[in-house]
Amino acid sequence: MPKTDIARRVYNHTWKLDPIVRSLLDTDFYKLLMLQMIWQLYPDVDATFSLINRTKTVRLAEEIDEQELRDQLDHARTLRFTKKEMIWLAGNTFYGRKQIFSPEFLSWLAKFRLPEYELSRRGGQFELTFRGRWVETTMWEIPALAIINELRSRAAMKGLGPFTLDVLYARAKARMWSKVEQLRHYPNLRISDFGTRRRHSFLWQRWCVEALKEGIGASFSGSSNVLLAMDNDLEALGTNAHELPMVAAALARDDRELAAAPYKVLQDWNQLYGGNLLIVLPDAFGTAAFLRNAPDWVADWTGFRPDSAPPIEGGEKIVAWWKKMGRDPRDKLLIFSDGLDVDTIIKTYRHFEGRVRMSFGWGTNLTNDFAGCAPTEISGLNPISIVCKVSEANGRPAVKLSDNPLKATGDPAEVQRYLKFFGTEDFVEQSVRV
């Protein structure tokens, strides 16, 4: 299949040819899995999502044209799942299971459209907010982030000539392929694409996915991007995210329910899925607090995804906990996914090899590694740390702490309340780059 000439496409860009979000399947797989759970168990809960730019030095509202942003958001609201996409969701096997999505849910999904948004400016930043039923607003997270990131990339490349663009993408491709060549030395490594949210562009993510498929073969497990997984005959990968315990905690009526929130959502998850989808994300309010109070049955789950602690240190704590609970770590799975690049992946893999099963979800440093690739310095091509998080549930503030206090989100007073309640054990402050 002939490959897209990305540099030429960018130079000849027209909005009509290249809308940023082309399909409602252009999202991460975990959003669809969580959506089915929300649809079934929490249909009447309201949830507000808010854009948060943690890289304060980058003033997004001064780099991105507001009308272009509105045009892209409005276009995304016109999309519906196509017949082809619905047939694929209904008939494909995910995580070894057929018909993981119920016919009733798929019937509802076929009519789904993204809800309205609120957009304004303050202090050089965009205030982008999605209010409404959780079952609707949750689906804005990934397309909103993809739109912001790609508009920023496009703005940075405006005015570049065809040869400059050619050099830019040639250098980025060479950098990416050199990483592939390093990974080839470790045939038992398992790598997956987790790069949708902060990608340079859709076309670039597609190129990276196709390069990994050819370059490392069976070591490439698949993509979290559902559209790219479908189009490239790959596994669609992903389980659950922080928004589940964040909403459950926000809805808690007392301290007992607050303490139980991280485990209640796991019970909900197990009610729908089970098997290979039993992956724990422990750090919403700190991994140490989660492990300290975890019921025994959590140790029987397939694995953990340590998301905000340094990978080796975070993995070691979970391995030690499994041993304490009388489980053999060699039967378990660790999924590493926070700010990984090839050196971190290889170092972590070598450290745990033979002691636990591993998989690596490669995100921003896979799909948005352009720093220094342009013939002249262009700061707008450097990735930033931007998220779209639940900020309220049924009108009550939602909080995420994480193992890195610099990644905490939520009302400052509520963050302090959660810190006091869950504690700060093993928190490690690290610079948040992506």
Side-chain angles (χ1 to χ4, degrees):
M1 182 178 74
K3 304 300 180 187
T4 301
D5 184 335
I6 302 177
R8 184 177 296 276
R9 184 78 161 259
V10 169
Y11 183 69
N12 294 321
H13 164 76
T14 65
W15 188 88
K16 185 175 182 180
L17 176 64
D18 282 329
I20 292 172
V21 178
R22 295 154 165 78
S23 162
L24 289 176
L25 272 194
D26 185 11
T27 191
D28 283 337
F29 188 55
Y30 73 83
K31 298 303 295 190
L32 295 181
L33 293 172
M34 291 195 303
L35 182 64
Q36 179 169 236
M37 182 176 124
I38 297 164
W39 172 82
Q40 181 166 320
L41 301 179
Y42 299 91
D44 298 324
V45 171
D46 289 338
T48 299
F49 282 72
S50 302
L51 184 75
I52 302 169
N53 178 15
R54 295 189 293 220
T55 309
K56 302 297 186 185
T57 54
V58 173
R59 298 166 69 87
L60 286 173
E62 295 174 4
E63 293 191 8
I64 295 171
D65 180 82
E66 181 177 339
Q67 189 56 53
E68 289 185 13
L69 175 55
R70 289 185 182 276
D71 288 343
Q72 293 288 349
L73 294 169
D74 290 342
H75 172 75
R77 295 197 65 230
T78 69
L79 298 173
R80 304 290 186 277
F81 288 97
T82 67
K83 285 186 178 180
K84 173 187 173 183
E85 292 167 348
M86 296 305 301
I87 291 170
W88 183 78
L89 288 172
N92 197 48
T93 298
F94 301 100
Y95 284 87
R97 287 181 53 183
K98 291 183 177 180
Q99 296 181 326
I100 199 169
F101 299 111
S102 74
E104 296 80 11
F105 170 71
L106 290 175
S107 178
W108 173 85
L109 191 67
K111 304 179 185 69
F112 180 83
R113 65 175 294 184
L114 291 167
E116 295 181 356
Y117 61 89
E118 300 171 16
L119 178 64
S120 61
R121 298 168 176 242
R122 178 181 293 181
Q125 301 293 347
F126 286 118
E127 293 193 343
L128 180 57
T129 308
F130 311 98
R131 305 180 195 275
R133 288 286 190 246
W134 187 15
V135 76
E136 295 178 343
T137 56
T138 184
M139 287 294 283
W140 259 122
E141 177 188 358
I142 306 303
L145 291 172
I147 287 169
I148 290 282
N149 278 289
E150 185 161 349
L151 282 177
R152 184 167 179 262
S153 297
R154 291 182 181 186
M157 294 185 294
K158 277 182 180 176
L160 298 185
F163 288 95
T164 304
L165 287 168
D166 207 31
V167 170
L168 169 69
Y169 281 102
R171 289 176 176 175
K173 288 177 179 180
R175 176 182 292 177
M176 166 60 187
W177 197 252
S178 72
K179 296 177 184 181
V180 168
E181 290 175 331
Q182 292 179 68
L183 295 172
R184 282 175 171 168
H185 294 293
Y186 303 90
N188 294 322
L189 252 177
R190 292 296 174 263
I191 302 286
S192 53
D193 157 45
F194 275 20
T196 301
R197 294 186 304 157
R198 301 192 192 106
R199 67 194 182 196
H200 168 82
S201 70
F202 171 80
L203 294 177
W204 181 249
Q205 183 184 16
R206 187 175 69 183
W207 189 92
C208 291
V209 164
E210 292 171 351
L212 283 173
K213 184 178 180 181
E214 178 178 322
I216 62 174
S219 293
F220 185 40
S221 302
S223 175
S224 66
N225 186 290
V226 192
L227 180 63
L228 292 175
M230 181 183 74
D231 288 346
N232 291 279
D233 195 24
L234 295 167
E235 292 287 335
L237 301 173
T239 53
N240 52 71
H242 295 109
E243 72 180 84
L244 297 182
M246 289 174 69
V247 170
L251 297 177
R253 294 168 292 185
D254 52 38
D255 285 353
R256 181 185 62 81
E257 290 189 358
L258 179 59
Y263 315 108
K264 180 182 184 303
V265 293
L266 296 184
Q267 291 174 311
D268 291 342
W269 188 262
N270 192 27
Q271 179 180 331
L272 263 73
Y273 299 116
N276 292 329
L277 283 164
L278 295 183
I279 302 297
V280 179
L281 181 61
D283 70 322
F285 312 120
T287 298
F290 180 93
L291 296 177
R292 183 172 60 246
N293 300 308
D296 185 78
W297 53 262
V298 174
D300 293 323
W301 276 40
T302 301
F304 274 64
R305 179 164 71 91
D307 185 60
S308 57
I312 290 176
E313 292 90 329
E316 284 290 359
K317 288 168 186 170
I318 294 167
V319 166
W321 182 79
W322 274 324
K323 290 180 178 179
K324 176 184 174 183
M325 301 298 287
R327 276 42 167 206
D328 188 344
R330 292 173 297 181
D331 299 329
K332 300 296 184 180
L333 174 66
L334 285 176
I335 301 175
F336 299 99
S337 61
D338 183 42
L340 301 178
D341 204 352
V342 65
D343 294 336
T344 311
I345 291 171
I346 291 172
K347 181 180 178 181
T348 304
Y349 173 77
R350 295 176 67 177
H351 178 86
F352 287 106
E353 187 177 11
R355 300 172 55 204
V356 65
R357 294 186 295 130
M358 287 173 279
S359 180
F360 295 85
W362 199 3
T364 309
N365 290 318
L366 168 66
T367 60
N368 202 351
D369 190 7
F370 279 75
C373 288
T376 57
E377 182 59 31
I378 301 175
S379 61
L381 291 176
N382 298 338
I384 60 175
S385 182
I386 184 170
V387 294
C388 185
K389 293 291 185 185
V390 179
S391 53
E392 288 184 352
N394 280 355
R396 306 178 67 177
V399 167
K400 177 196 169 198
L401 297 180
S402 94
D403 292 318
N404 179 358
L406 295 183
K407 295 179 75 172
T409 65
D411 176 79
E414 282 296 291
V415 169
Q416 289 304 311
R417 182 171 78 88
Y418 276 60
L419 287 170
K420 184 177 180 180
F421 185 84
F422 289 102
T424 60
E425 182 185 350
D426 293 339
F427 280 21
V428 178
E429 190 169 302
Q430 303 177 87
S431 175
V432 181
R433 296 180 296 109
V434 295

